[in-house]
Amino acid sequence: MNKKLMVLCMSSMILGGCIPSPKKQTEAITVEENPNMMYMLVGSYATPEEEGIKVYNFDEQNGNSQYISGIKGISNPSFLIPSADGERIYAVGEDSGKSSTANAIKFDKEQKKLTLLNSQPTDGGAPCYITLSPSEKFVLTANYIGGSITVFPLDKDGKLKSETRLISFTGNSLDKERQTQPHLHCIEFTPDHKYLLASDLGTDQIHVFPVSENVTDGVSHSLLNESEEFNIKVESGSGPRHICFHPNQKFAYLINEISGKVIAFSYDKGKLNAIQYIEADTVGAKGSGDIHISPDGKFLYASNRLKADGIAIFSINQEEGTLTKTGYQLTGIHPRNFIISRNGRYLLVACRDSNSIQVFERDSQTGLLKDTGKTIKTNKPVCLKFTF
């Protein structure tokens, strides 16, 4: 075959589609196509007319992200939690009165589409945290105003049932402006799945409930053993907010919103024993927020708002569980929740009042953060979660 004929044949193959064209740069690379890709879910303060929940692709190797979907119709879906398979998302509707809700959402990964399954009232004001039980047969919300927990059973399709259980608390504490009543801020199951911990900012306590799911004919009828509830008291005026566990499950760490201190605890069978108090907020801002540990268990991070907005960085003594402050990273305005990629390379911060999500690269040896400049612009982001 001469050269002229060969060129003509090659041209015909390309025009006929025999040689596939590369993927357009604007097309979203899916999680299924790239093992380094994760879905990032973003909850925010929003009106029902806005996309209050958004989904992005996030590549944990290079820190790049791309918007792929969103959903309207929910008022203030500020905090959310995905199911283990990522096919369902549960979100609060953080309104202050009777319009406050919990919401079940379907995530169709093939169509990249979010669909509201149903909503139910929480009967408690300003739900600011939501979680799934270990069996994923219940959803629970922490209701800030009035201080309560709402327990929702789920049906076989993952919808919220209307037969709810409201667990209310009483009491107050030292701060006469912010601790006149209970304020539930976080509910977390312990890693052994045997207890639920509820952080009460208003009474300076962690309420502890043994978990005992009553199952009949494959249906769960109860979750928390309320008769065996006990409380763990912290320093007056602390304002317990969020809690996290070390990967070794021997230690837990609580960020306190009002005092700005992190409390390090040893953990064993539902018992938390304080071993250290250390400041994350050193300027008296009284706005500490979220807390997380790097996947390797070597560093702890805590967000602070209202003054010197940023992330406090601590190294963790692996044997004793104690903390040493090693750095501080300034962020955008009002950093709320943040998240660390599963490989530990990136830390992303929801900066509510900067209308942005900042992407920081982590130094795995020092724990320090470096702003990558790969900022995601989005309205009033509050909560970030990864799913796959």
Side-chain angles (χ1 to χ4, degrees):
M1 183 182 293
N2 62 40
K3 290 183 179 179
K4 185 174 181 180
L5 183 58
M6 184 180 294
V7 170
L8 287 172
C9 287
M10 288 296 292
S11 299
S12 177
M13 289 175 67
I14 294 172
L15 291 172
C18 296
I19 298 177
S21 59
K23 206 177 250 292
K24 293 180 181 179
Q25 289 186 351
T26 55
E27 287 185 41
I29 304 295
T30 68
V31 170
E32 292 76 19
E33 294 171 325
N34 183 350
N36 299 318
M37 198 76 73
M38 299 178 286
Y39 294 116
M40 182 173 69
L41 311 174
V42 181
S44 63
Y45 287 120
T47 67
E49 292 71 39
E50 300 172 299
E51 285 190 344
I53 298 174
K54 296 178 181 178
V55 182
Y56 293 80
N57 281 338
F58 182 79
D59 191 321
E60 66 174 351
Q61 285 301 314
N62 56 31
N64 292 335
S65 61
Q66 186 175 28
Y67 167 85
I68 61 171
S69 186
I71 187 171
K72 299 178 181 180
I74 305 173
S75 178
N76 295 319
S78 61
F79 206 92
L80 48 80
I81 185 79
S83 59
D85 61 12
E87 294 179 0
R88 288 171 288 120
I89 300 165
Y90 296 94
V92 301
E94 194 184 337
D95 290 348
S96 58
K98 293 182 178 179
S99 60
S100 59
T101 58
N103 304 272
I105 299 154
K106 179 182 178 181
F107 180 27
D108 186 327
K109 296 177 184 178
E110 186 175 340
Q111 299 296 322
K112 306 292 183 270
K113 183 180 179 181
L114 299 172
T115 303
L116 181 63
L117 294 175
N118 78 323
S119 303
Q120 295 287 356
T122 59
D123 298 321
C128 58
Y129 201 95
I130 192 165
T131 193
L132 272 162
S133 68
S135 68
E136 298 200 341
K137 293 180 180 177
F138 293 88
V139 161
L140 302 89
T141 63
N143 309 313
Y144 185 80
I145 297 178
S148 60
I149 298 172
T150 311
V151 183
F152 298 86
L154 299 177
D155 69 14
K156 61 182 178 61
D157 298 317
K159 293 181 180 179
L160 300 153
K161 292 184 179 181
S162 59
E163 300 86 3
T164 60
R165 171 70 179 146
L166 185 69
I167 303 170
S168 299
F169 302 92
T170 59
N172 53 53
S173 194
L174 186 65
D175 192 308
K176 300 307 179 184
E177 292 183 1
R178 301 176 65 180
Q179 294 183 308
T180 59
Q181 62 178 311
H183 291 301
L184 266 288
H185 224 306
C186 173
I187 41 177
E188 285 284 352
F189 288 93
T190 55
D192 56 19
H193 299 166
K194 293 181 179 179
Y195 300 90
L196 178 78
L197 308 179
S199 301
D200 190 339
L201 180 146
T203 67
D204 288 321
Q205 296 180 100
I206 300 173
H207 307 290
V208 184
F209 294 88
V211 174
S212 178
E213 293 198 57
N214 179 16
V215 181
T216 305
D217 297 327
V219 178
S220 291
H221 300 283
S222 63
L223 176 65
L224 305 180
N225 191 337
E226 295 175 49
S227 64
E228 295 185 18
E229 175 202 350
F230 60 93
N231 299 317
I232 296 169
K233 186 73 176 175
V234 300
E235 285 182 344
S236 295
S238 292
R241 189 172 166 104
H242 284 195
I243 193 166
C244 66
F245 279 82
H246 193 278
N248 66 17
Q249 302 183 16
K250 296 178 181 179
F251 308 113
Y253 301 89
L254 174 73
I255 183 68
N256 292 276
E257 180 170 344
I258 299 174
S259 71
K261 293 179 182 178
V262 175
I263 307 176
F265 296 96
S266 61
Y267 172 75
D268 183 47
K269 299 178 181 178
K271 301 296 177 63
L272 294 169
N273 296 307
I275 55 178
Q276 183 188 23
Y277 282 75
I278 186 170
E279 287 183 327
D281 165 21
T282 59
V283 297
K286 298 185 177 182
S288 294
D290 201 8
I291 188 166
H292 293 289
I293 295 173
S294 58
D296 61 11
K298 294 181 179 180
F299 296 95
L300 179 141
Y301 301 84
S303 63
N304 299 297
R305 306 159 294 156
L306 306 182
K307 295 179 184 178
D309 290 5
I311 305 289
I313 305 166
F314 302 87
S315 62
I316 303 174
N317 183 306
Q318 301 298 297
E319 297 299 322
E320 300 177 3
T322 51
L323 304 174
T324 301
K325 196 167 185 180
T326 58
Y328 197 89
Q329 176 64 53
L330 295 175
T331 66
I333 304 171
H334 208 92
R336 284 289 294 262
N337 298 115
F338 61 93
I339 195 167
I340 302 172
S341 62
R342 60 188 167 183
N343 65 359
R345 186 169 182 177
Y346 293 99
L347 185 150
L348 293 83
V349 185
C351 299
R352 190 193 71 183
D353 294 353
S354 292
N355 296 313
S356 64
I357 299 168
Q358 283 183 291
V359 182
F360 292 93
E361 189 167 9
R362 287 184 62 251
D363 186 312
S364 62
Q365 300 303 311
T366 66
L368 299 181
L369 304 175
K370 178 183 178 182
D371 191 351
T372 65
K374 298 178 179 182
T375 300
I376 303 166
K377 292 294 182 182
T378 185
N379 267 0
K380 297 190 179 301
V382 174
C383 177
L384 308 178
K385 296 287 185 180
F386 283 132
T387 188
F388 313 99

